[in-house]
Amino acid sequence: MTGLADRTRAFVREHVFPIEREIIVDGRVMDDGLRVELQKAARQAGVFGPLSPVQYGGLGLDFRAQADVLEAAGSSLIGALALNCWAPDDANIALLERTANAEQARRYLGPLASGEVRSSIAMTEPAPGAGADPALLRTSAEQVGGGWVINGTKHFTTGADGAAFVICVANTGAGPTMFLVDHDNPGMTVGRRMPTLDRTVPGGHCEVTFTDCRVDDDAVLGEVGSGMEHAQVRLAPARLAFCMTWLGLAVRSQELAAERISHRWAFGSVIAEHGMAQAQIADNEIDIIASRSLIRSTAEVLDAEGPASSSARHLASVTKTFVSEAVWRVLDRSVQLHGGLGVCEDHLVARYLVEARAFRIYEGPSEVLRWSIARRVLRPYRS
Amino acid sequence: MTGLADRTRAFVREHVFPIEREIIVDGRVMDDGLRVELQKAARQAGVFGPLSPVQYGGLGLDFRAQADVLEAAGSSLIGALALNCWAPDDANIALLERTANAEQARRYLGPLASGEVRSSIAMTEPAPGAGADPALLRTSAEQVGGGWVINGTKHFTTGADGAAFVICVANTGAGPTMFLVDHDNPGMTVGRRMPTLDRTVPGGHCEVTFTDCRVDDDAVLGEVGSGMEHAQVRLAPARLAFCMTWLGLAVRSQELAAERISHRWAFGSVIAEHGMAQAQIADNEIDIIASRSLIRSTAEVLDAEGPASSSARHLASVTKTFVSEAVWRVLDRSVQLHGGLGVCEDHLVARYLVEARAFRIYEGPSEVLRWSIARRVLRPYRS
Amino acid sequence: MTGLADRTRAFVREHVFPIEREIIVDGRVMDDGLRVELQKAARQAGVFGPLSPVQYGGLGLDFRAQADVLEAAGSSLIGALALNCWAPDDANIALLERTANAEQARRYLGPLASGEVRSSIAMTEPAPGAGADPALLRTSAEQVGGGWVINGTKHFTTGADGAAFVICVANTGAGPTMFLVDHDNPGMTVGRRMPTLDRTVPGGHCEVTFTDCRVDDDAVLGEVGSGMEHAQVRLAPARLAFCMTWLGLAVRSQELAAERISHRWAFGSVIAEHGMAQAQIADNEIDIIASRSLIRSTAEVLDAEGPASSSARHLASVTKTFVSEAVWRVLDRSVQLHGGLGVCEDHLVARYLVEARAFRIYEGPSEVLRWSIARRVLRPYRS
Amino acid sequence: MTGLADRTRAFVREHVFPIEREIIVDGRVMDDGLRVELQKAARQAGVFGPLSPVQYGGLGLDFRAQADVLEAAGSSLIGALALNCWAPDDANIALLERTANAEQARRYLGPLASGEVRSSIAMTEPAPGAGADPALLRTSAEQVGGGWVINGTKHFTTGADGAAFVICVANTGAGPTMFLVDHDNPGMTVGRRMPTLDRTVPGGHCEVTFTDCRVDDDAVLGEVGSGMEHAQVRLAPARLAFCMTWLGLAVRSQELAAERISHRWAFGSVIAEHGMAQAQIADNEIDIIASRSLIRSTAEVLDAEGPASSSARHLASVTKTFVSEAVWRVLDRSVQLHGGLGVCEDHLVARYLVEARAFRIYEGPSEVLRWSIARRVLRPYRS
C-alpha cells in the first residue's frame, strides 16, 4: 500500500501541483472540464478511485489503506478531486454502495464511482431548519400515488451546480428519508453558489429549493424512514476521509514553510536558525504526527468493527475534532512562518488557510462533537 | 471624549454599516470615490480626522482619546477609513507632522490630513531585501547635483495605487533616508496590486519599482540618514492605532455572534443556552476587555512619555502582540459561533476573519515582537 | 502612591524575602508568632494595613492605590500577610467596615484591622452543601429567645485555626445571614486542617462544625436575610485583591527565571540566548502587563462606581478569570525555564506553582465565572 | 496481550489502589518494604516484570505490548513500581540487557530485573555541569592501574538512596563512559534527598558525590567512551515508558473527574450536565486517545526499526513532548472539575497534578525536544 501512496504522491506532485498553482495564483477556474482532465491523468497513473468499488474501476481500499493514500492525495488542495475521492462524492459512493438497489447502483453508483458524473447531498437547511442538529429537518416528502412530492429549501449543498443527481433528505410520516433526485427534475432548482471562503470545489455550495418536486418510488434510497441512520453511517467515513486529506495539506504546508525559512535571511541568520521559528516547525511536526497516528488507529477500528459501530463513531468524532484543529494550527503557523508573503495568494499557504477554515465546522462543528464525545464518556457514570 | 466616541459609533452605524455590507456581501468596490463620499459624511457628523492636526481640519486627539474613538470607528471594517485614520495615512500624518518642513507640510501634510489625497509608504522589499528586519534594506539613493537618484524594488506598498505621494525609504551613504516621491514621478512605477487576503484598502498593497528615480533635495523628509529613527518613531503609534481599530472589529464580531446564537435554535434550546457557546462568548469578552485596558494604559504612557520613549516602545510591542492575537481569537470564535454561516461571506464575520489575518504579521510579526520584548526584559540580567 | 509601592517592595525584599526562603526551603512553619513579627516590621516601615481603615492604624487606600501596593506586597508569598492584607482578613475588614455596627466594629473590626487578631469566614460546605453555588447552603440558624442556634458543617474555612472569630453564613427563615462567632464558643469546633496544596496560610483551611452553636442577637452582621448580598459585596474586592497580590508573585517568578537563564549555560550559550526561552520570557511579560492594566482599570471602576455596581462585578469576574489563568501560565513557564531545578523546592518557583493552583478555583472557578460573564453579555440579546 | 493488560488493570485496582490511597491521603511512606510487598503481589498475579527479560522472571514484552500493560499499570501512581517497571529501573534493565557482559548481567541485571534490588543512574549535574545538555558533563574518571578513579558531583539521582548500585556517567580521555558503582563503595556518598515536588519514588532524587571513587575495570558498562551512545539508546524506550505510564494516570484522573461531576450538584443540575464541564471531559478524552495512538504507533516503530534508529528517536521525541503536555492538561482539567476538592490531597487528583509536573522536564524538557525535532525536520532543506 505504501507503493500506492508513493505513486499517489508522485502523481499529485507531477500532474496536480502545476494546475493547483494556476488555480490559486493565476485564478484558473476549477470546473468540470478540468476535473475530467485531472481524473483521466489519475486513471492513467493507476491511482484513480481509492474509495470506489473495484467493479467500477476503483481501488476499493479499506480505511487503513485510505489513510496513506488520501494523505498523499491531500498534498494538493485539488488532489483528492483528481482521484475522485473528494466530498461529497467520496461519501456518496460509500453510501450508495451500502444502500442502493441494483437499478440505483447501475444508474447512480456506477457513473459516480467511475468519475463520469458528480453528485451532491442536500441535507443542511437555512434557519430554523436542520443545521448541526438534524432533528430540525423541515424539508418534507409527501407520498402520492407511486411516488413522492418533496418541498423544502436547502443550502450549503456542496457540488449541486453541475451534479448529475442530488441525494435529498426529507421528512416523511415514517421519518427522514433519502431521495435520489435527478439534476433535470423540474421541481428542483439549483440556486446561487454561496460566497463561501473556499473556492475550489466544482459546483460550489449551492442554495437548492424543492418545489412540489415529484419523484418515483424507486427514488427512495434505502428504506423509507431510515434517512438519519444512513446519514449516520455516512458520517464516520466522511469525517475520517476529510481528516486524511486535510492532513496531507498540513504536511505540504509544513514543507513550504520549512523550505521558505531555510532560505530567507533575517536578523543575522536564516530564519530556520531562530528558536521561535523552530518551535513552530516542531509544533507543526507534533500536530502532524499525532494526527496521523490518530487517523490510522481510527481507520483500523473502522475496518475491524465497521463504520457504524459505537467505537468507530466515537473515535471518528475524537479524530475529526483533534485533526481539524491540529490542521488549522499547522496552516496558521505556516502562514506566520511566511511573514508578509503568508497573507498573499502568490503563496499557496495563504489560500490553504482560508480554504481550511470550514473544516472545523462541516460534518460536525468542534463544539457539537465535543458535546457528543462527553456524553459518551459520561454515560456509564450516570446514576 | 466619550461623547465623541459615542458620536463616532453612531456615525459608523448609520453611515458606514450599510456601505460595508454592500462591499462585503454585494461586492461593491472600495475606491477613492467611495472613500471621499464616506469622509464627507464623517466631516458633516463632526467625527472626521481624529489623528489629523486641528489646523488641517482634524480633531488632533491625544493617544488616550484615540483609543475610544478608533475603537468606535473600528466597528466597521471601513470605519477608520471613513474618518481618515486608517493605514498608512494615519501614521504618515503623524510622521509628517513631526518631520516635515514648512513647505513639505503645505504640499503633503495639509492635503493628506484633510482627506484631499491618500499617501503610501514604501518600506518592505522582496527577498533578500528588508522585511521584518530593516537592516536588510536594499533600495538605494545616490546623491547627484541638487538631488537624488533612487533605485530599488518594494512590495506590500499599501495604498500606492492612487496615492498622491509615496514615502520611500532608501539607503544613502549616510544611512537610510526617507524621500517624498510624487505619484507622477516618471522614475516610480506602481505595479500590480498583490493578491493579499484583505481586499478593502483603497489602493491595495502594490509592487513599486524605482528606476533612476530622480527627486530634488527638498524631497528628503527629516535629515539624511535618519530614516530608521523616523520609522521607529512612526512605529509605536501605528501599532497602537491598529490595535484600537481592530479591537472595534472584535467587539462588532462579538455582537454579531451574540445576536446570532440568541436566536438560532439547536439541540433543544437557543445556542446561547449551551455551555460551550457561553464559554466562547466569555472568552471573547475577556479578550476584548483585556485588550481594551492594555490599549488605554499604553496610550497613557505614549501621551505622558512620548511615543519614542523606551517604555512607550516596549508597551506598544507588548500591546500589539497581545491585541493582534486576542482579536484573531475573538474573530475565530465568532465564526465558529455562526456555524456554517460563519464561513460564508453573506455574513460579515467570514470576511472579518480573513481581513484580520495580516494583523499578526504587519508592523512586526508576533515572533519578532516577542524577541524584542524578551531582549528588553533580559537586558538588566546580562552579566 | 508610587512612593508607597516602592517602599512596600523594598520592605518585602529586605524583611520578608529571607523569611519566605526559610519557610519554603528550610521548612520553617508559618504561625501566628511569625505573623506578628512580620506585621510589626511592616508597621515600623510604614507599610502596614493598606486596606485597613485609617482610624485603626491602616492606610485606607482606594482600589487603584491598592493595585500598586498589593502587587509590591505580592512579590513574596507571605508579603500580603506581613502587611495584613491577605485572605480572608482583607475581605473581612472590608466587610466589617461596611456592615458592622459600632459595638461590632469595636470588638471585631478594630483588632482585626490593626493586626491584633486573625479572622475567618465559614461559607463553603461539603457536598451536597454550598460550594461554587451558594444556593445550596445547608447550615441553618434557628431563632431562639434573644439569639440563634446554628447547626451545620463547613470546610475550606481559611484561617479558622487560631482565628479570634469566624463569620458564619447560615440559612434563617428570612434567608442566608452572617453571624459573628467567637473562637471560644463551645458550639463551634474547629477540626483538622485540610491537606490542601498550599501551606503558607496561618490557620490553614479547616473543617468547622457548628453543633447547637448558640449566639446572641448582636452576633448578626448586617441584617438578617442579607447574607448573600453581603457576600456578593465582599466578592469583587476580594477577587481583585487576590489578582493584585498573585500578580506580584508572577512578577517575582519572572525575575527569578530571567536571572536563572541569564547565567545557566546550555547548548552553546546561556539559555537566555535561546529563542524558545525568549518566547517564554516574552509571553510572561505580556501576561504580566496585560494583567496589570486589567487590574488597574477595574480598580478605577470600583473606585468610581462602587464595588457592588453591576460593571464593577462584571469587570471583577473578567479580571479574576484572566489574571488567575495568566498568573498560572507565568508560574508554569518560570518553572519550565528553571529546568529540573524548577520542580525542586530548593527553588521558590516550585512552591509558587503549587501554592497558586487554587487561585483558579477559589472565589469562583474560571468556569463559573465564564458562565456568569457570558450571561451578562448575552442578556441584552434575549428575545 | 489485552488479557495481560486487563489482568494488570485488575491487579492494580485490587492491590495497589488501597495502598496508593494510604500513601497520598494518609501519609504512608513509600519505602522498600512496601515496594517488595507490592512486587510480590504482582508476581503472584502474573503481571510482574513487563520489561524484564524472561530468563529473570519477567514478561519480556515488546514495545507495542508494553503500551497496553504500562498504561494499565499507570492507573495508580505506584502501579508501575509494583510491576517493577518504573524509573529508573525500567530503563536500567533495558540498558544492562543491551550492554552488560555475562558477569555484569549476573551481578546486576538479574537481581534488578527480578525486583531483588533497586538501581540508580547518576547523570545530571549541578550547574555548570550537565543538565539537559550532556555535553557539559564534568564528572571525570581517570584510569589508574586496573581500574578507575571517579570524581564529581551529581544531583537528581533518582532512587540513589537504597539502590544496590548506581550507574555513573563520567568523562574519560576517550569520552563519556558508564560505570557500575556498588552502593557500598566508600568513594560514593549518597547525600540528601532533594525536596522535589514528587514524593512517591523509593529512594527519592538524591545528591551524590564521587570522591576519589575507585572502581575496577570490570565496572565499565559497554565500551569506554561509549557512554553517550548508551545513554541515547536508553532514551527512546525510557521516554516511551514514561508516556505509557503517565497516560494511565491521565485516564484514571479522567475517571475520577467523571465520577465526581456525575454526582455533584450545582446551579440546577449535576455538573456533568454543564456544557463547560463537558468540554473539559471531551478535551480530556481527545488528549487521552490522541496520546494513546501516538504511543502505540511509536512503539511499533521501535519494535520494527529498533530503539536506536533515527525514526524511533524522532518519534519518541515527538511522543514525549505531546504526551507529557497532554497528560498535564488532563490532570489540570481534572483538578478543575473537582472544584475546591481538587486542590486538597484528600483527593488523588491534587497529588497527581503535583507529581506529574516534572514529566515535562525530565528525559528532555519540551523546549529541548522541540529544538531537536525542528532540527530533524529542517535538515533536508539546508542549502
Side-chain angles (χ1 to χ4, degrees):
Chain A
M1 212 47 60
T2 315
L4 180 57
D6 286 346
R7 274 184 291 131
T8 301
R9 203 178 317 272
F11 164 75
V12 173
R13 190 178 305 117
E14 187 179 349
H15 294 277
V16 183
F17 279 13
I19 289 168
E20 177 190 38
R21 188 165 289 275
E22 286 175 36
I23 290 173
I24 294 179
V25 177
D26 308 324
R28 180 169 178 183
V29 174
M30 167 50 86
D31 58 17
D32 274 298
L34 184 48
R35 175 181 70 82
V36 167
E37 176 191 327
L38 285 165
Q39 294 187 348
K40 187 176 159 196
R43 214 175 280 106
Q44 285 168 348
V47 299
F48 179 85
L51 311 189
S52 294
V54 175
Q55 71 259 48
Y56 300 110
L59 302 167
L61 303 182
D62 62 15
F63 292 105
R64 180 60 189 81
Q66 289 175 25
D68 298 346
V69 171
L70 267 64
E71 182 186 325
S75 60
S76 161
L77 203 45
I78 55 170
L81 185 76
L83 269 63
N84 198 29
C85 57
W86 188 233
D89 294 332
D90 60 337
N92 286 346
I93 290 170
L95 173 65
L96 289 167
E97 205 182 346
R98 205 170 304 104
T99 55
N101 59 35
E103 173 60 13
Q104 289 169 338
R106 194 193 57 76
R107 280 184 59 191
Y108 297 102
L109 175 55
L112 183 63
S114 64
E116 205 177 308
V117 304
R118 285 196 294 102
S119 67
S120 183
I121 185 157
M123 174 78 115
T124 305
E125 299 170 339
D133 181 0
L136 301 175
L137 188 68
R138 292 225 156 186
T139 298
S140 68
E142 201 184 345
Q143 195 154 18
V144 295
W148 300 80
V149 174
I150 306 172
N151 277 287
T153 307
K154 303 282 185 175
H155 65 175
F156 290 105
T157 312
T158 303
D161 188 3
F165 64 94
V166 173
I167 301 170
C168 175
V169 187
N171 257 324
T172 65
T177 303
M178 288 182 164
F179 295 92
L180 290 155
V181 184
D182 291 324
H183 74 99
D184 55 0
N185 187 314
M188 176 172 75
T189 309
V190 174
R192 69 167 184 149
R193 293 185 182 205
M194 301 170 76
T196 54
L197 292 179
D198 67 292
R199 296 196 307 244
T200 48
V201 182
H205 307 279
C206 301
E207 293 172 348
V208 177
T209 51
F210 297 87
T211 314
D212 294 332
C213 176
R214 165 84 203 216
V215 294
D216 291 339
D217 274 337
D218 57 12
V220 174
L221 185 61
E223 291 85 54
V224 173
S226 66
M228 278 311 149
E229 288 67 35
H230 293 323
Q232 278 298 332
V233 170
R234 188 184 179 279
L235 213 50
R239 286 174 176 162
L240 208 54
F242 273 123
C243 291
M244 295 165 178
T245 309
W246 282 113
L247 174 60
L249 208 70
V251 171
R252 174 87 179 286
S253 185
Q254 162 88 325
E255 289 167 0
L256 291 166
E259 177 70 28
R260 161 148 170 86
I261 66 168
S262 296
H263 299 98
R264 176 59 166 157
W265 197 265
F267 302 105
S269 70
V270 291
I271 295 174
E273 296 291 324
H274 296 187
M276 292 191 211
Q278 293 168 343
Q280 292 180 309
I281 290 289
D283 282 334
N284 279 358
E285 178 79 354
I286 293 168
D287 274 331
I288 287 168
I289 292 180
S291 294
R292 188 180 288 138
S293 36
L294 192 47
I295 289 168
R296 290 179 182 177
S297 60
T298 298
E300 286 170 5
V301 172
L302 263 71
D303 281 327
E305 309 186 15
S309 70
S310 162
S311 50
R313 287 165 59 182
H314 184 59
L315 289 171
S317 295
V318 166
T319 304
K320 159 61 161 78
T321 310
F322 181 85
V323 175
S324 65
E325 298 182 356
V327 164
W328 177 253
R329 290 190 296 265
V330 172
L331 298 181
D332 185 73
R333 286 186 208 108
S334 300
V335 163
Q336 199 71 12
L337 285 164
H338 275 71
L341 306 181
V343 291
C344 177
E345 298 196 26
D346 290 344
H347 297 267
L348 303 180
V349 292
R351 176 103 307 257
Y352 287 177
L353 185 75
V354 174
E355 293 274 334
R357 182 60 185 84
F359 178 33
R360 286 163 51 205
I361 295 175
Y362 57 54
E363 304 289 354
S366 296
E367 293 71 31
V368 175
L369 292 176
R370 279 190 168 80
W371 176 56
S372 73
I373 292 165
R375 279 187 309 160
R376 273 196 217 92
V377 172
L378 290 166
R379 197 166 298 150
Y381 297 90
R382 269 211 226 134
S383 46
Chain B
M1 212 48 58
T2 316
L4 180 57
D6 286 347
R7 274 184 292 130
T8 301
R9 200 177 318 271
F11 164 75
V12 174
R13 192 178 303 116
E14 188 178 349
H15 293 277
V16 182
F17 279 13
I19 290 167
E20 178 190 36
R21 189 165 287 275
E22 285 175 35
I23 290 172
I24 294 178
V25 178
D26 308 323
R28 182 171 177 181
V29 174
M30 168 49 87
D31 58 17
D32 275 298
L34 183 49
R35 175 184 68 83
V36 167
E37 176 192 328
L38 285 165
Q39 293 188 348
K40 187 176 159 196
R43 215 176 279 106
Q44 284 168 347
V47 299
F48 179 84
L51 310 189
S52 293
V54 175
Q55 70 261 45
Y56 299 110
L59 302 167
L61 303 182
D62 62 14
F63 292 105
R64 180 60 189 82
Q66 289 174 25
D68 297 347
V69 171
L70 267 64
E71 183 186 325
S75 59
S76 161
L77 203 45
I78 56 170
L81 185 76
L83 270 62
N84 198 27
C85 57
W86 188 233
D89 293 332
D90 61 338
N92 285 346
I93 290 171
L95 174 65
L96 289 167
E97 206 182 344
R98 203 171 305 105
T99 55
N101 60 33
E103 174 58 13
Q104 290 169 336
R106 193 191 59 75
R107 278 184 60 190
Y108 298 101
L109 175 55
L112 183 63
S114 64
E116 204 177 309
V117 304
R118 285 194 295 101
S119 67
S120 184
I121 186 157
M123 175 76 115
T124 305
E125 299 170 340
D133 181 0
L136 302 175
L137 189 67
R138 292 226 155 184
T139 299
S140 67
E142 199 185 346
Q143 196 154 18
V144 295
W148 300 79
V149 173
I150 307 171
N151 278 288
T153 306
K154 303 282 185 175
H155 67 175
F156 291 106
T157 312
T158 303
D161 187 3
F165 63 96
V166 172
I167 302 170
C168 175
V169 187
N171 258 324
T172 66
T177 303
M178 287 181 165
F179 296 92
L180 290 154
V181 185
D182 292 322
H183 74 98
D184 55 1
N185 188 314
M188 176 171 76
T189 307
V190 174
R192 69 164 186 153
R193 295 186 181 204
M194 300 169 77
T196 55
L197 292 180
D198 67 292
R199 297 197 305 244
T200 49
V201 182
H205 307 279
C206 302
E207 292 172 348
V208 177
T209 52
F210 297 87
T211 313
D212 294 333
C213 175
R214 166 84 204 216
V215 295
D216 293 339
D217 274 338
D218 56 13
V220 174
L221 184 61
E223 291 85 54
V224 173
S226 65
M228 278 309 149
E229 289 67 35
H230 294 322
Q232 278 298 331
V233 170
R234 188 185 178 280
L235 213 51
R239 286 173 176 163
L240 209 52
F242 273 123
C243 291
M244 295 165 179
T245 309
W246 282 113
L247 174 60
L249 207 71
V251 171
R252 174 86 178 287
S253 184
Q254 162 88 325
E255 290 167 0
L256 292 166
E259 177 69 29
R260 159 147 172 88
I261 65 167
S262 297
H263 299 97
R264 175 59 165 158
W265 196 267
F267 302 104
S269 70
V270 291
I271 295 174
E273 297 290 324
H274 297 186
M276 291 192 212
Q278 293 168 343
Q280 291 179 310
I281 290 288
D283 282 333
N284 278 358
E285 178 78 353
I286 293 168
D287 273 332
I288 286 169
I289 291 181
S291 294
R292 189 180 286 138
S293 37
L294 192 48
I295 288 169
R296 289 180 182 176
S297 61
T298 298
E300 286 170 5
V301 171
L302 263 71
D303 282 326
E305 308 186 17
S309 69
S310 161
S311 49
R313 287 165 58 183
H314 184 59
L315 289 171
S317 295
V318 166
T319 304
K320 167 36 165 96
T321 310
F322 181 86
V323 175
S324 64
E325 298 182 355
V327 164
W328 177 253
R329 289 190 297 264
V330 172
L331 298 180
D332 185 73
R333 286 186 209 108
S334 301
V335 163
Q336 200 71 11
L337 285 164
H338 275 70
L341 307 181
V343 291
C344 177
E345 296 197 27
D346 290 343
H347 297 266
L348 304 179
V349 292
R351 177 102 307 257
Y352 287 177
L353 185 76
V354 174
E355 293 274 334
R357 183 60 185 83
F359 178 33
R360 285 162 53 206
I361 295 174
Y362 57 53
E363 305 288 355
S366 296
E367 293 71 31
V368 175
L369 291 176
R370 278 189 168 81
W371 176 56
S372 74
I373 291 165
R375 280 186 311 159
R376 276 197 214 90
V377 171
L378 290 167
R379 198 167 297 150
Y381 297 89
R382 269 210 225 133
S383 47
Chain C
M1 212 48 63
T2 316
L4 180 57
D6 287 346
R7 274 185 290 129
T8 301
R9 201 177 318 272
F11 164 74
V12 173
R13 191 178 304 117
E14 189 179 346
H15 293 276
V16 182
F17 278 14
I19 290 167
E20 179 190 35
R21 190 165 287 275
E22 286 174 34
I23 290 172
I24 294 178
V25 178
D26 308 324
R28 180 170 177 182
V29 175
M30 167 51 87
D31 58 17
D32 275 297
L34 184 48
R35 176 183 70 82
V36 167
E37 175 191 327
L38 284 165
Q39 293 188 348
K40 187 176 159 195
R43 214 176 279 107
Q44 284 168 350
V47 299
F48 179 85
L51 310 189
S52 294
V54 176
Q55 70 261 45
Y56 300 111
L59 302 167
L61 304 182
D62 62 15
F63 291 104
R64 180 59 189 81
Q66 289 173 26
D68 297 347
V69 171
L70 267 64
E71 182 186 326
S75 59
S76 161
L77 202 46
I78 55 169
L81 185 77
L83 269 64
N84 199 28
C85 57
W86 189 233
D89 293 332
D90 60 337
N92 286 346
I93 290 170
L95 173 65
L96 289 167
E97 205 181 346
R98 205 170 304 104
T99 56
N101 59 34
E103 174 58 14
Q104 289 170 337
R106 194 191 58 75
R107 278 184 59 190
Y108 297 102
L109 175 55
L112 183 63
S114 64
E116 206 177 308
V117 304
R118 286 195 294 103
S119 68
S120 183
I121 185 157
M123 175 77 115
T124 305
E125 298 170 341
D133 181 359
L136 302 176
L137 188 68
R138 292 225 154 185
T139 299
S140 68
E142 200 184 345
Q143 196 154 18
V144 296
W148 300 79
V149 173
I150 307 171
N151 278 288
T153 307
K154 304 282 186 175
H155 66 176
F156 291 106
T157 311
T158 303
D161 187 3
F165 62 95
V166 173
I167 301 171
C168 175
V169 187
N171 257 325
T172 66
T177 304
M178 287 181 165
F179 296 92
L180 291 154
V181 185
D182 293 322
H183 74 98
D184 55 1
N185 188 313
M188 176 172 76
T189 307
V190 174
R192 68 166 186 153
R193 295 186 180 204
M194 300 170 77
T196 55
L197 292 180
D198 67 292
R199 296 197 305 243
T200 49
V201 182
H205 308 281
C206 302
E207 293 172 347
V208 177
T209 52
F210 296 87
T211 313
D212 294 332
C213 175
R214 166 84 204 217
V215 294
D216 292 339
D217 273 338
D218 57 12
V220 173
L221 185 61
E223 291 84 54
V224 172
S226 66
M228 276 312 149
E229 289 67 35
H230 293 323
Q232 279 297 331
V233 171
R234 187 184 179 280
L235 213 51
R239 285 173 176 163
L240 209 53
F242 273 123
C243 291
M244 295 166 179
T245 308
W246 282 112
L247 174 60
L249 207 71
V251 172
R252 174 88 179 285
S253 184
Q254 162 88 326
E255 290 167 0
L256 291 166
E259 177 70 28
R260 160 148 171 86
I261 65 168
S262 296
H263 299 97
R264 174 61 165 156
W265 197 267
F267 301 105
S269 70
V270 291
I271 294 174
E273 296 291 323
H274 297 187
M276 292 192 212
Q278 292 169 344
Q280 292 179 310
I281 290 289
D283 282 333
N284 278 357
E285 179 77 355
I286 293 168
D287 273 332
I288 286 168
I289 291 180
S291 294
R292 188 181 286 138
S293 35
L294 192 48
I295 289 169
R296 288 180 182 176
S297 61
T298 298
E300 286 171 4
V301 172
L302 263 71
D303 281 328
E305 309 186 15
S309 70
S310 161
S311 50
R313 287 165 58 183
H314 184 60
L315 289 171
S317 295
V318 167
T319 304
K320 163 44 162 93
T321 310
F322 181 85
V323 175
S324 64
E325 298 182 355
V327 164
W328 177 253
R329 290 190 296 266
V330 172
L331 298 182
D332 186 72
R333 286 186 209 109
S334 300
V335 163
Q336 200 71 13
L337 285 164
H338 274 71
L341 306 181
V343 290
C344 177
E345 297 196 28
D346 290 343
H347 297 266
L348 303 180
V349 293
R351 176 103 306 255
Y352 288 177
L353 185 75
V354 174
E355 293 274 333
R357 183 59 185 84
F359 177 33
R360 286 163 53 206
I361 295 174
Y362 56 55
E363 304 288 354
S366 296
E367 293 71 31
V368 175
L369 292 176
R370 278 190 168 82
W371 176 57
S372 74
I373 291 165
R375 280 187 310 161
R376 275 198 214 91
V377 171
L378 291 167
R379 198 166 298 150
Y381 297 89
R382 270 210 225 134
S383 47
Chain D
M1 213 47 61
T2 315
L4 181 57
D6 287 345
R7 275 186 290 130
T8 301
R9 202 178 317 273
F11 165 74
V12 173
R13 191 179 303 118
E14 187 180 347
H15 293 277
V16 183
F17 279 13
I19 289 168
E20 178 190 36
R21 190 165 286 276
E22 286 175 34
I23 289 172
I24 294 178
V25 177
D26 308 322
R28 180 170 177 184
V29 174
M30 167 50 88
D31 58 18
D32 275 298
L34 183 49
R35 175 182 70 82
V36 167
E37 175 191 327
L38 285 165
Q39 294 187 347
K40 187 177 159 195
R43 214 175 280 107
Q44 285 168 348
V47 300
F48 179 84
L51 311 189
S52 293
V54 175
Q55 70 261 47
Y56 301 109
L59 302 167
L61 303 182
D62 63 14
F63 291 106
R64 180 61 190 82
Q66 289 174 24
D68 298 346
V69 171
L70 268 63
E71 182 186 324
S75 59
S76 160
L77 203 45
I78 55 169
L81 185 76
L83 270 63
N84 198 27
C85 57
W86 189 232
D89 293 332
D90 61 338
N92 286 346
I93 289 170
L95 174 64
L96 289 168
E97 206 181 346
R98 204 171 306 103
T99 55
N101 58 34
E103 173 59 13
Q104 289 170 337
R106 194 192 59 75
R107 278 185 57 191
Y108 297 102
L109 175 55
L112 184 63
S114 63
E116 205 177 311
V117 304
R118 285 195 295 102
S119 68
S120 184
I121 185 157
M123 174 77 115
T124 306
E125 298 171 339
D133 181 0
L136 302 176
L137 188 68
R138 293 225 154 185
T139 298
S140 69
E142 200 184 345
Q143 195 154 19
V144 295
W148 300 79
V149 173
I150 307 171
N151 278 287
T153 306
K154 303 282 185 175
H155 67 174
F156 290 105
T157 312
T158 303
D161 187 4
F165 62 94
V166 172
I167 301 171
C168 176
V169 186
N171 258 324
T172 65
T177 303
M178 288 182 165
F179 296 92
L180 290 154
V181 184
D182 292 322
H183 74 98
D184 55 0
N185 188 315
M188 176 172 76
T189 308
V190 175
R192 68 166 186 151
R193 294 186 181 203
M194 299 171 76
T196 54
L197 292 180
D198 67 291
R199 296 197 304 244
T200 48
V201 181
H205 308 279
C206 301
E207 292 172 348
V208 176
T209 51
F210 297 87
T211 313
D212 294 331
C213 175
R214 167 84 204 217
V215 294
D216 291 340
D217 273 337
D218 57 14
V220 173
L221 184 61
E223 291 84 56
V224 173
S226 66
M228 279 310 148
E229 289 66 35
H230 292 323
Q232 279 297 332
V233 170
R234 187 185 180 280
L235 214 50
R239 285 173 176 164
L240 209 53
F242 274 123
C243 291
M244 295 164 180
T245 309
W246 281 112
L247 174 60
L249 208 70
V251 172
R252 173 88 179 284
S253 184
Q254 162 88 325
E255 290 167 359
L256 292 166
E259 177 70 27
R260 157 147 173 88
I261 66 168
S262 296
H263 299 98
R264 174 61 166 156
W265 198 266
F267 302 105
S269 70
V270 291
I271 295 174
E273 296 291 324
H274 297 186
M276 291 192 212
Q278 292 169 344
Q280 292 179 310
I281 290 289
D283 282 333
N284 279 358
E285 178 79 353
I286 294 168
D287 274 331
I288 286 169
I289 292 180
S291 294
R292 188 180 288 138
S293 35
L294 192 47
I295 288 168
R296 289 180 182 176
S297 61
T298 298
E300 285 170 4
V301 172
L302 263 71
D303 281 327
E305 309 186 16
S309 70
S310 162
S311 50
R313 287 166 58 182
H314 184 60
L315 290 171
S317 295
V318 166
T319 303
K320 163 47 163 88
T321 310
F322 181 85
V323 175
S324 65
E325 297 182 355
V327 164
W328 176 252
R329 290 190 297 266
V330 172
L331 298 182
D332 186 72
R333 286 186 209 108
S334 301
V335 163
Q336 200 71 12
L337 286 164
H338 274 71
L341 306 181
V343 290
C344 177
E345 297 196 26
D346 289 344
H347 297 266
L348 303 180
V349 291
R351 176 103 306 256
Y352 286 177
L353 185 75
V354 173
E355 293 275 333
R357 182 60 186 84
F359 178 33
R360 287 163 52 206
I361 296 175
Y362 56 55
E363 304 289 354
S366 295
E367 293 70 31
V368 175
L369 291 176
R370 278 189 169 81
W371 176 57
S372 74
I373 292 166
R375 280 187 310 160
R376 273 197 216 92
V377 171
L378 291 166
R379 198 167 298 150
Y381 297 90
R382 270 212 224 132
S383 46

